[in-house]
Amino acid sequence: MRRIMPSIVAVAALAGLVSYLGAVSSQADQEAAPIYGIKIPKGYRNWQLISVNHLAGGNLKQVRAQLGNDVAMRAFREGKLPFPDGTIIAALHWTEVSSDENNSVLASGFPGASLQSFVAGSTVNVQFMVKDSKKYAATGGWGFADFTNGKPGNEALHKTCFSCHEPAKARDYVFTRYAP
Amino acid sequence: MRRIMPSIVAVAALAGLVSYLGAVSSQADQEAAPIYGIKIPKGYRNWQLISVNHLAGGNLKQVRAQLGNDVAMRAFREGKLPFPDGTIIAALHWTEVSSDENNSVLASGFPGASLQSFVAGSTVNVQFMVKDSKKYAATGGWGFADFTNGKPGNEALHKTCFSCHEPAKARDYVFTRYAP
């Protein structure tokens, strides 16, 4: 094993470097969110699921999912607070759409139950919380970013993030709880 | 590289074997779902997200997520139909709970919008679709399984799975669509 390990480490390091360079080049032409300077983290759509929810009010109806990178998932599962530096949480928001297709199946599978299915339609926006206790010391250790169609929201929008998350201070400013 | 690779392959194979044996031993005392003989796939909660939805009707309110193993995710992202053998789709269902905590934050963040947030509460059940075109030839190539608190539902329940999925034949019996 002792002779194998350094080779593996070298290959892994090389792979990590290649992956890092790939991330840098693909992010290079991407606009960063104001105030916090956060770009869309590469590969976030492949992260694991923290939880799901939906939001309703007036004309607004959304289904939502929160994903976490490996650091985030470990902290959620171990109930670790505060979240360690390197934590990134992604919040994906889709327009909620009534599914006629599902409803028709539900009507025949569960007659009389009047079941209604609502599924994810078009993407509304995606938001990120990035933990860096030094860089973002003024905002609870978190940087915030909001993107619509890959473009970050403006500075006024980003000024609202932290104050909105402040009520969740006891849970390190994170609303989402892990759904097992 | 030529000298490194066999060592890596050997270690990877060993790691795979250890992981496989771990899966076998942890599944050994687990009950399989009737008809299809499916046990809860190890590590399914770590799979990637396909989509989210919610269901309402009468007293029933659920938020839901569908996760896929690597074979499933590749097929969804490439729009590949039928799904290849080895595809596993997991459907996680939670009771939907109104979040007073979120609602209070939304009320001050978006005054007048009357936003209501519904989050995942207790787990209701988890279901799996497993693609094996030979083993499950009589049911469109899919095996079905439904678990509540780790225990499979009965045979009568599992007899309903395929007929319920038949309307989605054009999409290889899968209702869920990938949400980017």
Side-chain angles (χ1 to χ4, degrees):
Chain A
M1 278 305 263
R2 239 179 268 154
R3 264 188 304 176
I4 296 168
M5 290 316 285
S7 309
I8 291 176
V9 169
V11 171
L14 186 65
L17 180 66
V18 169
S19 151
Y20 172 75
L21 291 173
V24 166
S25 74
S26 77
Q27 287 195 321
D29 53 354
Q30 208 201 77
E31 210 180 326
I35 305 176
Y36 303 101
I38 294 168
K39 294 184 174 184
I40 294 177
K42 191 177 156 72
Y44 77 89
R45 185 59 186 78
N46 300 345
W47 292 350
Q48 294 179 24
L49 179 73
I50 303 164
S51 191
V52 298
N53 65 315
H54 73 102
L55 193 67
N59 293 327
L60 185 148
K61 285 185 194 297
Q62 292 182 1
V63 286
R64 301 175 145 208
Q66 296 80 39
L67 309 182
N69 69 354
D70 288 346
V71 182
M73 296 313 294
R74 212 173 305 129
F76 271 110
R77 287 176 175 138
E78 293 172 1
K80 188 191 278 181
L81 286 175
F83 288 90
D85 281 4
T87 294
I88 311 181
I89 298 168
L92 290 73
H93 305 158
W94 297 274
T95 301
E96 174 188 306
V97 177
S98 179
S99 170
D100 293 341
E101 183 184 29
N102 290 1
N103 291 345
S104 131
V105 170
L106 291 163
S108 60
F110 304 90
S114 302
L115 293 175
Q116 300 284 315
S117 169
F118 304 91
V119 300
S122 55
T123 301
V124 179
N125 62 339
V126 57
Q127 302 178 328
F128 300 95
M129 286 179 71
V130 177
K131 189 72 184 273
D132 185 328
S133 51
K134 282 181 190 157
K135 189 172 179 184
Y136 303 124
T139 47
W142 291 100
F144 298 85
D146 181 299
F147 296 88
T148 301
N149 295 325
K151 301 283 277 184
N154 62 21
E155 192 172 322
L157 174 73
H158 283 83
K159 274 187 177 163
T160 67
C161 301
F162 179 59
S163 60
C164 204
H165 278 262
E166 274 192 307
K169 188 178 178 184
R171 287 189 290 128
D172 198 21
Y173 307 99
V174 172
F175 293 115
T176 300
R177 295 166 193 262
Y178 180 74
Chain B
M1 279 304 263
R2 239 179 268 154
R3 264 188 302 176
I4 297 168
M5 292 314 286
S7 309
I8 291 177
V9 169
V11 172
L14 186 64
L17 181 65
V18 169
S19 151
Y20 172 75
L21 291 174
V24 166
S25 74
S26 78
Q27 287 195 322
D29 53 355
Q30 208 201 78
E31 210 180 326
I35 306 176
Y36 303 101
I38 294 167
K39 294 184 174 185
I40 295 176
K42 191 178 157 68
Y44 78 88
R45 186 58 185 78
N46 301 346
W47 293 351
Q48 293 179 23
L49 179 72
I50 304 164
S51 192
V52 299
N53 64 315
H54 74 102
L55 192 66
N59 292 327
L60 186 148
K61 284 184 195 299
Q62 292 182 2
V63 285
R64 301 175 145 208
Q66 296 80 39
L67 309 182
N69 68 355
D70 288 346
V71 181
M73 296 314 293
R74 211 171 308 128
F76 271 110
R77 287 175 175 138
E78 293 172 0
K80 189 193 276 183
L81 286 177
F83 287 89
D85 281 4
T87 295
I88 310 182
I89 298 168
L92 289 73
H93 304 158
W94 297 274
T95 300
E96 174 188 305
V97 177
S98 179
S99 170
D100 293 341
E101 183 184 29
N102 290 1
N103 291 344
S104 132
V105 170
L106 291 163
S108 61
F110 305 90
S114 302
L115 293 174
Q116 299 285 313
S117 170
F118 304 90
V119 300
S122 56
T123 300
V124 179
N125 63 340
V126 57
Q127 303 179 326
F128 300 95
M129 287 179 71
V130 177
K131 189 72 184 270
D132 185 329
S133 51
K134 281 183 190 155
K135 189 173 179 183
Y136 302 125
T139 48
W142 291 100
F144 299 85
D146 182 298
F147 297 88
T148 302
N149 294 324
K151 302 282 280 183
N154 62 21
E155 191 172 321
L157 175 72
H158 283 84
K159 274 186 175 163
T160 66
C161 300
F162 180 59
S163 60
C164 205
H165 277 263
E166 274 193 306
K169 187 177 179 184
R171 287 188 290 128
D172 198 21
Y173 307 99
V174 173
F175 292 115
T176 301
R177 296 167 194 263
Y178 180 74

